[in-house]
Amino acid sequence: MATSRGSTTPTGDRRVRRTQAALARALLRLVEEQDLSRVTVADVAELAGVSRSTFYDHYRDVHELAEAACTAMIDGLIESLPGDFNAADPGREATESLEAFFGSLAEHAGLYRALLGPQGSARVADHIRHRSTVAIQERLREAVESAEVPEMARPLLELPLDVPAAFTAGALIGVAAEWLQGGCTRSPGEMAALTWPLFHSLFRIDARPA
């Protein structure tokens, strides 16, 4: 979240939060109608009902506002990632959570497409990748700790969990970015059905003895 610029008002102040929220809502509406590169500070300020000087109290430019709006939504979006990597039934919670993930991306496709595309924001991409890695690593750790793993499989589980988590997060963001750039031709449900088997095959912990 960007800090207030040129103002002594604390960022946590209610008025500041209201202004930032209004600017973010205005930006999201604008990028539904045109590319982010064509949106101006004047456009955002006018739609948000504030002056240009007020805009600059909070953000350097439209791109910084876009980064702030995007990263602010990421925390909630990451929470929709699968909670049980070892679920056998892809029609239940696992695919539903992945569908929510892709659905959240599709809801603001214009913004994510601009920030995750070839000319996008490295800061946003890194933030999404890091948050995804941490979330996946935590879910994987919980799956390992709760599973009844046979002795012969334990060496595999002693690998550093950050490696498969980072690998999976990078792959997921790559798939999402490609889907966004392609115009989201597949539905969030289709993307979930296609993506879940990859999660499941990588992280499946088979408790059954050989």
Side-chain angles (χ1 to χ4, degrees):
M1 176 85 54
T3 55
S4 179
R5 300 179 185 278
S7 171
T8 58
T9 307
T11 304
D13 183 270
R14 188 175 303 171
R15 290 175 299 172
V16 172
R17 295 199 301 271
R18 279 202 302 262
T19 299
Q20 291 175 340
L23 291 169
R25 286 195 300 270
L27 177 69
L28 292 175
R29 286 181 57 187
L30 288 166
V31 294
E32 290 176 358
E33 304 167 357
Q34 57 188 312
D35 291 340
L36 179 64
S37 60
R38 299 179 60 188
V39 176
T40 68
V41 170
D43 293 334
V44 176
E46 180 179 1
L47 188 56
V50 302
S51 66
R52 290 183 61 182
S53 62
T54 297
F55 178 99
Y56 287 118
D57 281 341
H58 299 277
Y59 304 103
R60 287 190 296 265
D61 52 31
V62 169
H63 201 75
E64 186 180 60
L65 168 60
E67 290 180 337
C70 184
T71 53
M73 293 187 290
I74 291 305
D75 288 342
L77 189 153
I78 295 301
E79 289 303 313
S80 66
L81 287 174
D84 184 3
F85 289 121
N86 208 35
D89 185 354
R92 305 180 107 184
E93 178 185 355
T95 49
E96 290 175 359
S97 60
L98 276 173
E99 183 173 356
F101 175 83
F102 285 105
S104 297
L105 291 177
E107 184 178 0
H108 302 295
L111 179 63
Y112 286 113
R113 186 180 298 117
L115 293 178
L116 295 179
Q119 306 301 320
S121 167
R123 174 177 174 268
V124 170
D126 185 68
H127 180 82
I128 296 175
R129 185 166 48 250
H130 174 71
R131 289 288 292 112
S132 300
T133 298
V134 171
I136 292 171
Q137 184 175 358
E138 183 58 32
R139 286 160 172 74
L140 182 57
R141 179 179 292 108
E142 292 172 357
V144 170
E145 291 175 351
S146 64
E148 296 179 5
V149 184
E151 192 65 30
M152 62 186 305
R154 290 191 178 277
L156 178 63
L157 302 182
E158 292 173 2
L159 290 173
L161 298 184
D162 59 322
V163 174
F167 178 87
T168 306
L172 179 63
I173 299 310
V175 168
E178 188 70 19
W179 177 63
L180 288 165
Q181 293 303 311
C184 303
T185 54
R186 291 189 175 93
S187 71
E190 289 177 303
M191 292 301 295
L194 290 168
T195 306
W196 171 245
L198 304 178
F199 271 92
H200 185 59
S201 63
L202 181 60
F203 290 119
R204 186 166 185 259
I205 301 169
D206 197 342
R208 294 171 301 178

